[in-house]
Amino acid sequence: MSNPSLLILAGDGIGPEVMDQVKRIIGWFGYKRDMSFDVSEDLVGGAAYDKHGVPLHDDTMAKAQEVDAVLLGAVGGPAYDDLDFSVKPERGLLRLRKEMDLFANLRPAQCFDALADFSSLKKELVTGLDIMIVRELTSGVYFGEPRGIHIEDNMRVGINTQRYTEAEIERGARAAFEMAMKRGKKLCSMEKANVMESGILWRDVVTEVHADYPEVELSHMYADNGAMQLVRAPKQFDVIYTDNLFGDILSDCAAMLTGSLGMLPSASLGSPMANGRPKAMYEPVHGSAPDITGQEKANPIACILSFAMALRYSFDLGDEATRLEAAIETVLANGARTGDLMGPEGGTPLSTSQMGDVILEALDASIL
Ligand code: IPM
Ligand code: MG
């Protein structure tokens, strides 16, 4: 059997730096665990624009459709801020999500014990925090038509449309219920059914799907209340299911509860391919961080944890994913810190590749 295939799209800013560490980890699994991947690389975002004049070349899109999983670093940067909307780096990312039909975006917000002090909330509110946000990723106001800016009565009008079919709500809901079944069996669905018809439909459809998952305790919350509850008492949540825009916002909020954006991975999953694996893209939640680009200061952990999610969700290697996550927990418990994880007490931060070094050492120790 041929090796599973990975397409690496490191992208812009710190993307390539953090992805270099992921490549070392992938290599480790090949040498030490006999789990080899066929890795290819290509451009996305500003890097693709610089070479091709578009943030995602058609050939790259075609490759992404063929591989078993895509690993993405980050897109965007100040050099591209003034580009036309249609070729902005983010459009490359959105095209991948849309054309691969990656409708279920899994965004875990987990607080590592060693980092509980970094949260902006009191330590006791976040210690042991483990939430999974399932964000619908291919529809809603991000893609709804009509959209655009046009002139009405001599005035510019900006339009975006929140649009959801029941099929779109349902397939995401099933992914969320399945996730809840594997975790704490609690699902909270968030929308704005008090002001939006799409929210009313959302609530109805999620309630209908619940009939197939009677073991899961389902609750509904208005998304604004959800934001408040996330900062008031985040540990009340297990799995949250919400739409594309609310999910964008709520996942940033949940991410900050854990203390560092540099720690959080994500998975974007679609329907199963012929080989049974879901279409999939894995990426850190953080952005391209232009302020520290090229300085070897970035924290590679979010990107490495994204690869752990790939092991779990694309390759059915949950034990190996756990091994990698445990290695990261070990190095953090031993005090390994990149700059973003330095407390007021200071100390010397590890560089990006030094963080990679200690994680590889912990992996080695795990198989002794
Ligand atoms: C995210 C990001 C993207 C989004 C941007 C970069 C298009 O904020 O993945 O959360 O809005 O979905
Ligand atoms: Mg976002």
Side-chain angles (χ1 to χ4, degrees):
M1 231 174 70
S2 60
N3 295 328
S5 52
L6 291 173
L7 173 62
I8 291 185
L9 303 174
D12 307 324
I14 59 169
E17 291 161 60
V18 294
M19 199 59 88
D20 279 344
Q21 302 313 312
V22 177
K23 290 189 221 165
R24 297 174 72 198
I25 304 281
I26 295 171
W28 185 90
F29 277 92
Y31 296 131
K32 300 286 176 77
R33 304 297 293 156
D34 205 17
M35 292 162 190
S36 297
F37 295 88
D38 288 339
V39 179
S40 54
E41 295 191 48
D42 212 330
L43 304 172
V44 69
Y49 178 83
D50 289 339
K51 176 138 187 238
H52 303 298
V54 285
L56 187 74
H57 195 276
D58 289 344
D59 292 348
T60 314
M61 186 66 240
K63 272 190 231 167
Q65 297 283 18
E66 273 161 26
V67 291
D68 291 314
V70 176
L71 303 181
L72 189 133
V75 294
Y80 310 104
D81 281 352
D82 295 330
L83 288 184
D84 187 71
F85 183 73
S86 64
V87 289
K88 276 194 186 299
E90 292 78 6
R91 303 311 301 172
L93 177 60
L94 293 168
R95 181 175 176 202
L96 283 161
R97 291 174 179 174
K98 187 68 178 174
E99 292 192 22
M100 292 171 77
D101 201 20
L102 304 173
F103 60 86
N105 182 210
L106 314 183
R107 299 195 162 188
Q110 219 179 340
C111 185
F112 286 81
D113 282 350
L115 303 180
D117 281 327
F118 288 90
S119 175
S120 44
L121 294 193
K122 294 191 200 80
K123 192 171 176 170
E124 58 270 24
L125 288 179
V126 296
T127 305
L129 181 78
D130 181 5
I131 299 175
M132 178 69 85
I133 296 187
V134 180
R135 166 189 178 194
E136 196 294 324
L137 200 61
T138 49
S139 184
V141 76
Y142 271 55
F143 298 100
E145 301 280 346
R147 66 186 297 163
I149 301 174
H150 64 238
I151 307 285
E152 262 175 48
D153 298 333
N154 282 325
M155 184 143 58
R156 283 175 303 162
V157 182
I159 299 175
N160 290 91
T161 302
Q162 167 84 334
R163 180 179 188 278
Y164 269 106
T165 68
E166 55 183 334
E168 287 167 339
I169 300 169
E170 180 185 335
R171 63 183 186 168
R174 289 198 184 276
F177 277 109
E178 294 288 342
M179 184 54 66
M181 285 299 287
K182 289 189 203 133
R183 295 172 43 105
K185 300 204 165 104
K186 257 173 67 177
L187 177 64
C188 182
S189 169
M190 296 187 186
E191 27 56 16
K192 286 282 288 176
N194 50 345
V195 285
M196 296 164 79
E197 285 79 358
S198 60
I200 296 175
L201 183 67
W202 186 278
R203 193 173 278 222
D204 283 352
V205 173
V206 173
T207 304
E208 286 158 22
V209 175
H210 186 210
D212 292 339
Y213 300 89
E215 278 175 65
V216 176
E217 183 193 316
L218 173 67
S219 59
H220 302 275
M221 216 178 251
Y222 297 140
D224 54 342
N225 183 28
M228 184 183 74
Q229 295 299 333
L230 270 173
V231 292
R232 191 188 71 84
K235 281 193 263 183
Q236 69 185 283
F237 297 111
D238 175 21
V239 180
I240 293 171
Y241 177 45
T242 191
D243 78 14
N244 205 345
L245 182 60
F246 294 142
D248 180 43
I249 296 164
L250 293 169
S251 64
D252 263 22
C253 176
M256 209 49 227
L257 300 177
T258 69
S260 171
L261 266 179
M263 299 292 301
L264 294 175
S266 77
S268 304
L269 305 178
S271 302
M273 299 183 280
N275 61 13
R277 295 182 175 128
K279 276 264 165 78
M281 178 161 77
Y282 299 87
E283 58 181 302
V285 168
H286 64 68
S288 59
D291 52 323
I292 56 164
T293 295
Q295 302 171 35
E296 272 284 306
K297 283 184 183 167
N299 182 352
I301 292 180
C303 204
I304 295 172
L305 286 173
S306 301
F307 176 62
M309 289 187 90
L311 292 173
R312 178 171 291 120
Y313 294 110
S314 281
F315 305 115
D316 214 13
L317 294 170
D319 290 348
E320 298 301 326
T322 305
R323 176 192 305 286
L324 181 49
E325 289 158 355
I328 287 168
E329 228 164 302
T330 303
V331 304
L332 291 172
N334 291 342
R337 302 279 186 270
T338 39
D340 56 312
L341 304 176
M342 299 304 292
E345 67 279 5
T348 314
L350 297 183
S351 69
T352 309
S353 55
Q354 284 169 334
M355 183 58 100
D357 294 343
V358 293
I359 293 170
L360 286 165
E361 282 162 25
L363 281 172
D364 278 339
S366 81
I367 54 169
L368 283 182

